[in-house]
Amino acid sequence: MADVLAKNIVFASCDEKYFLEHGEAFIRSACEHGETPRVHCQHHTPETHRLAQRLESQFPTSRVIFLNYEDKYKDAHDKRSVYAIGRFIYGKNLLHNNILFLDIDSFFRKPVTWEDFRKMDYALFFRESLPGTVGWEKIGTKVAAGAVYVSHRSRLLSKTMEFINEYPNLPWFVDQVALWKAHEALQFDEHYCQMPAKYIDWEFKEDSVIWTGKGQRKHSEVYLNEKSSYLSTKT
């Protein structure tokens, strides 16, 4: 029965700055392509509240959740890590669904082909470690956290949080190191696959489902031009 009831949702987590900058394109593009978006925002401000209200009114299948975890992780050495793990912290509340975790600066160009994941417990974007990295960073760059699929059956999310909680000071790359360690622990017990590049495309290929604004690429003219089609005020 759980298989019948499980829904497919797309999910992103961010701070207020990124929500104001990217939240509309993420939610609008997801809904226009038939997806069910959920967005977790760390900070509730008058501006984020107004945007969330407007988007939820325009797109009734969307939800914006405000919940701040900064006090719990006040020993974090890098504040960015608190935002990076937010998707996994709140994600545990959505585990009755099949979840495609994404970066908030992503937007949809086509519907997700959920059949890609039908037989999988999880999917990760595996890659070679970045050249010149050693130790912690070498492990952390073996997998990208910008697109992660977790089925309602998988233990990947709980395992990832177990490993994150071993590092209360949250060094940078802790989310990706934890994902890799969770994969190592589960790879022989669960079915997994390589995340198709079409769901985490920072090279902006025409046939991709999702474009993501990785690093400075979010300032690319081709990215911004298409993103503007999902904004209420066109630029």
Side-chain angles (χ1 to χ4, degrees), residues 24-25 28 32 51 54-55 58-59 227-235:
E24 179 171 10
R28 181 182 292 271
E32 288 187 2
L51 178 58
R54 176 167 66 80
L55 292 173
Q58 288 180 294
F59 305 102
K227 179 184 174 183
S228 70
S229 67
Y230 297 112
L231 301 176
S232 56
T233 302
K234 307 295 191 294
T235 56

Side-chain angles (χ1 to χ4, degrees), residues 108-124:
F108 295 77
R109 308 175 68 248
K110 302 173 185 178
V112 174
T113 305
W114 292 97
E115 188 69 15
D116 290 340
F117 309 112
R118 185 173 63 85
K119 297 181 180 179
M120 298 297 117
D121 294 307
Y122 65 92
L124 295 172

Side-chain angles (χ1 to χ4, degrees), residues 86-222:
R87 70 190 76 188
F88 304 130
I89 297 173
Y90 191 81
K92 67 181 183 295
N93 298 304
L94 304 170
L95 283 179
H96 53 290
N97 301 289
N98 305 314
I99 311 169
L100 181 58
F101 292 90
L102 298 163
D103 286 340
I104 191 66
D105 55 10
S106 304
F107 61 81
F108 295 77
R109 308 175 68 248
K110 302 173 185 178
V112 174
T113 305
W114 292 97
E115 188 69 15
D116 290 340
F117 309 112
R118 185 173 63 85
K119 297 181 180 179
M120 298 297 117
D121 294 307
Y122 65 92
L124 295 172
F125 191 77
F126 302 103
R127 58 186 180 178
E128 293 295 321
S129 298
L130 293 181
T133 56
V134 296
W136 179 266
E137 289 191 2
K138 185 171 185 176
I139 297 171
T141 56
K142 285 178 177 288
V143 61
V148 176
Y149 170 78
V150 180
S151 82
H152 66 281
R153 301 179 300 271
S154 179
R155 292 181 291 137
L156 184 77
L157 196 59
S158 59
K159 276 290 181 186
T160 298
M161 285 307 305
E162 282 181 29
F163 289 119
I164 286 174
N165 289 332
E166 291 181 5
Y167 303 96
N169 58 350
L170 299 185
W172 189 234
F173 283 123
V174 67
D175 56 329
Q176 293 173 198
V177 169
L179 274 175
W180 178 255
K181 289 189 172 186
H183 164 66
E184 287 188 314
L186 296 173
Q187 60 182 314
F188 300 112
D189 298 322
E190 297 193 3
H191 297 289
Y192 69 92
C193 68
Q194 169 78 15
M195 173 64 67
K198 64 185 178 181
Y199 298 119
I200 183 173
D201 178 15
W202 56 78
E203 296 179 345
F204 312 137
K205 296 177 181 177
E206 188 58 36
D207 59 348
S208 291
V209 175
I210 295 169
W211 283 2
T212 185
K214 185 176 176 65
Q216 290 302 308
R217 293 177 177 87
K218 65 172 59 68
H219 305 298
S220 161
E221 185 176 356
V222 64

Side-chain angles (χ1 to χ4, degrees), residues 3-36:
D3 286 341
V4 175
L5 296 177
K7 294 181 180 179
N8 299 323
I9 66 171
V10 295
F11 178 73
S13 180
C14 58
D15 66 0
E16 78 280 9
K17 179 179 181 292
Y18 265 50
F19 179 63
L20 292 173
E21 188 174 346
H22 304 291
E24 179 171 10
F26 181 88
I27 288 175
R28 181 182 292 271
S29 66
C31 290
E32 288 187 2
H33 291 292
E35 304 301 340
T36 303

